[in-house]
Amino acid sequence: MSAEPMPQAFTGAQPVSLPAIPAAALPLDGAPLTYRPRARARDENALVREHLPLVRRLAWHVHGSVSTAIEVEDLVQVGLVALVEAVAAFEDRGQVTLRQYLVTRLRGAMIDELRRHAAMTRGAIRRKREYARAVNQLSHQYGRAPTERELASRLEVTPEKLRTEYAAAEAIKYESIDEVYADDQPWFASNEPDAFEQLSDTQTRDRLIAAIAALPEREQLVIQLYHVEELNLEEIGQVLGIGAARVCQIKSAAHARLKKALAQR
C-alpha cells in the first residue's frame, strides 16, 4: 500500500464540536496543572511533642515490674526513638487510632529492650552502668577517651578486674544452632556409642548369654541372684540353704567358667 496521503478519504467530513470545559476545572491565572501530594493532616513534630507524656508514663509502668533490671531513663530513651519512628510510619486506615498504635509500638520497643538486658545478671548490669558512667565523666573531664588505668582508678578496682568484670560486662549472646553446629566440634559430640561399638556390645552380650546358659544350674542361679537380683552372699546362702562361704566358691567357679568361655570364642 502506498504511504501517500489520501485527501479524498476525508472529503465531506464535518467538524466535531467538543463539550465546553467548566471554568472551575481550569487552573487560575493560566498556571500549568501539576501534581501536589496530599498534605499530612498534622505536623509530625507536633504529634511527637503531644505524646511525650505517654512515653514517660509507659516507661514508668514497664519499669515498675522490673525496677532492678534497667533504669527508667533508659526506657524513656528507647521510647522516644520508637515514638518518632511510629509517628512517621502511622497510616490512618480507620481501624485503630494513633494513640492505640503508639501504645503498642512504644510498649513493644521497651519490652524488647528488657529482653536484651534479661540475658545479663544484675551485677553485670550494675557494672556496665558504672563503667559507662565513668567513661562519660572522664571523657568530659579530660576531653579525650580515658585510659584503662584512669578508669580503674575512678572505679577503685584493679586493671585486671576492670577488664574481666567491667569492660566485658556484656549480655549473653544467643546464636542459631544451625550457624554454629559442626560435626568436628567437641561440644556437639554424642556420648552414645557409635554403630561399631553397639555391634560389638551386642555380639559380646550374645556370647555372654550363651556362656551363662552353659553353666550348671546352681551356678546359673547364683549369677542370677548376685548380678540381677543384687543379693549379697548371705542372702543367696539363705535362698539356697548353704553358707556364704560356699556361695562365694560357687560364684568364683561360675566367673572362671564365663571368662574361659568368652576367651575361647
Side-chain angles (χ1 to χ4, degrees):
M1 176 181 295
S2 173
E4 296 292 334
M6 297 183 295
Q8 65 276 10
F10 299 96
T11 303
Q14 300 295 327
V16 178
S17 59
L18 297 176
I21 300 177
L26 295 176
L28 298 177
D29 301 330
L33 291 174
T34 57
Y35 169 76
R36 296 181 180 178
R38 182 177 61 87
R40 299 186 66 90
R42 302 189 63 179
D43 183 55
E44 292 182 1
N45 293 333
L47 291 175
V48 170
R49 288 192 297 269
E50 178 183 347
H51 293 90
L52 287 178
L54 177 63
V55 176
R56 184 164 292 275
R57 183 174 65 83
L58 290 176
W60 277 106
H61 184 270
V62 174
H63 182 264
S65 57
V66 288
S67 57
T68 59
I70 190 174
E71 293 290 341
V72 66
E73 292 301 327
D74 295 336
L75 292 177
V76 171
Q77 294 298 324
V78 173
L80 290 176
V81 175
L83 174 62
V84 175
E85 295 176 350
V87 168
F90 177 72
E91 296 182 3
D92 188 3
R93 300 180 179 179
Q95 298 177 349
V96 295
T97 63
L98 173 61
R99 185 178 182 83
Q100 293 172 334
Y101 177 75
L102 292 180
V103 169
T104 302
R105 285 288 301 269
L106 298 181
R107 189 186 300 275
M110 295 178 186
I111 292 176
D112 288 342
E113 183 69 10
L114 288 177
R115 289 173 178 170
R116 189 175 68 84
H117 284 77
M120 301 179 64
T121 63
R122 295 181 181 179
I125 294 174
R126 177 183 56 81
R127 290 191 297 271
K128 183 178 181 181
R129 188 179 299 119
E130 293 175 353
Y131 181 82
R133 186 182 301 114
V135 170
N136 186 43
Q137 293 174 352
L138 292 177
S139 298
H140 283 82
Q141 179 178 347
Y142 298 123
R144 56 172 174 81
T147 64
E148 184 181 76
R149 186 174 298 276
E150 292 170 346
L151 286 171
S153 177
R154 173 59 64 91
L155 295 173
E156 298 181 350
V157 297
T158 63
E160 292 76 14
K161 188 174 183 179
L162 177 71
R163 288 190 296 267
T164 58
E165 297 186 10
Y166 285 81
E170 297 293 340
I172 301 174
K173 296 181 180 180
Y174 297 96
E175 298 181 353
S176 172
I177 187 66
D178 296 330
E179 297 178 358
V180 298
Y181 177 80
D183 292 334
D184 57 344
Q185 298 297 333
W187 45 81
F188 292 109
S190 175
N191 294 326
E192 298 180 357
D194 57 22
F196 295 101
E197 293 179 353
Q198 292 179 0
L199 179 60
S200 177
D201 293 342
T202 301
Q203 293 175 347
T204 302
R205 184 172 61 252
D206 293 340
R207 290 166 56 193
L208 181 59
I209 293 174
I212 293 175
L215 294 175
E217 182 178 356
R218 175 166 286 196
E219 293 183 3
Q220 290 186 29
L221 183 57
V222 170
I223 294 297
Q224 171 76 17
L225 294 176
Y226 186 81
H227 291 284
V228 179
E229 303 297 335
E230 297 183 349
L231 300 181
N232 57 37
L233 298 181
E234 293 183 359
E235 292 171 338
I236 295 175
Q238 293 176 2
V239 173
L240 299 179
I242 56 178
R246 178 57 181 158
V247 173
C248 183
Q249 293 176 354
I250 296 174
K251 182 173 71 68
S252 298
H255 285 172
R257 292 176 187 272
L258 292 176
K259 289 181 180 180
K260 183 179 181 180
L262 293 176
Q264 290 177 351
R265 301 188 179 185

